[in-house]
Amino acid sequence: RKTDATQVNNTFTVNPTTVVDVRYGFNRWPNLYRTVSAGFSPADLGFTGSWLSDVQYLKFPRFDMSLFSSLGAEADAQWAVYHSKNLLGNVSKLVGRHAFRMGVAYRRINIANQAFGHSAGQFSFSDTFTRADYRATDNRTGSSIAELLLGNPGGGTAQISSKFYQYTNYYGGYFQDNFRVRPNLTLNLGLRYEWETGLADRDNALIVGFDQQAQHPIGQGARGTLLYAGVDGNPTHVLNPNKNRFA
C-alpha cells in the first residue's frame, strides 16, 4: 500500500501573551485490487464486440458448472482511494491568572471507489440442454461441461458499476480556562462541542430513507418509495447525527 502524507504547521507569536497555531494535514491511501486475470479480453473466448463494449474491467469471465469446479475468479477487482484532510486552529492567551486556550477543527474523511464485480460476465451451466430427455428429473445423461462447450448457459449476469465519492465531515470547537486560584490550586474549566455529519456522496448517489406512505410509481394503491439524496428536498446524507455533543 502506498501512502501519501502531508502536513503544514505554523505558529505565530502575536504578542508576549498571545500565540496562534494553525495546522493542515492531508493523508491519502490509493488501492487497486487486481484479479489474477486482469487484462484478459473475453474476445479470446469468442465474445462479440457488442458485449465487449460494455465491459468496464477486462478479466476472465466466471463460469459456474453443476457438479464441477468453477472457472474464473470471484468478483474481487476494484479500486479505492481513501483520504482525509484536516484543518485546525488554536489560540493561547495569558490574562493575569488565567491561561485561555480556544480552537476549532475541521476534518473530512473520504473514500472514492468502484467495485467492478463480474464485469466480464458470470454464467451458469447445468445439464438441462444436453439431457437425452430435457423433461427428465435425473442428471444421468446431461453434462454441464458439455453445455459449456456448446455455449448454452442456463443463466448469466454482467455488472456495470458506478463510481462513488463518499465522505463525512467533522466539526469541533473548544474553550478552556486554566485559572490559577492560588499557588497550589488551579481550576481547569472548559467546554467542547463536536458534530459529525452522516455519510454523503459527492454526486448524491445514495438512498437516504424510505417513505412508507408515499404513492408508489406502479400505482394501484401501492405505497412506499425509496428516498434519494438531494431529490425533492431530501437530505444529502444518511442517518440523523446527534447535534448535542457537548463535553
Side-chain angles (χ1 to χ4, degrees), residues 188-209:
N188 301 114
L189 309 173
L191 178 66
R192 182 177 183 88
Y193 177 75
E194 295 179 335
W195 179 53
E196 188 172 1
T197 64
L199 184 68
D201 184 85
R202 188 189 68 179
D203 301 319
N204 287 338
L206 291 175
I207 295 173
V208 295

Side-chain angles (χ1 to χ4, degrees), residues 43-106:
D44 295 340
L45 299 177
F47 285 85
T48 63
S50 58
W51 172 272
L52 295 175
S53 63
D54 290 329
V55 176
Q56 292 179 316
Y57 184 89
L58 292 176
K59 65 175 185 176
F60 193 85
R62 173 82 174 190
F63 300 106
D64 294 317
M65 296 169 287
S66 60
L67 303 180
F68 295 95
S69 298
S70 299
L71 299 176
E74 291 289 349
D76 54 357
Q78 64 172 306
W79 67 266
V81 179
Y82 304 87
H83 64 267
S84 66
K85 54 186 176 182
N86 60 81
L87 179 64
L88 303 95
N90 299 284
V91 178
S92 299
K93 178 71 174 179
L94 297 176
V95 180
R97 292 182 293 172
H98 296 271
F100 297 111
R101 186 171 175 83
M102 64 195 74
V104 294
Y106 166 76

Side-chain angles (χ1 to χ4, degrees), residues 10-21:
N10 203 345
T11 301
F12 305 89
T13 302
V14 181
N15 55 51
T17 62
T18 307
V19 176
V20 177
D21 179 64

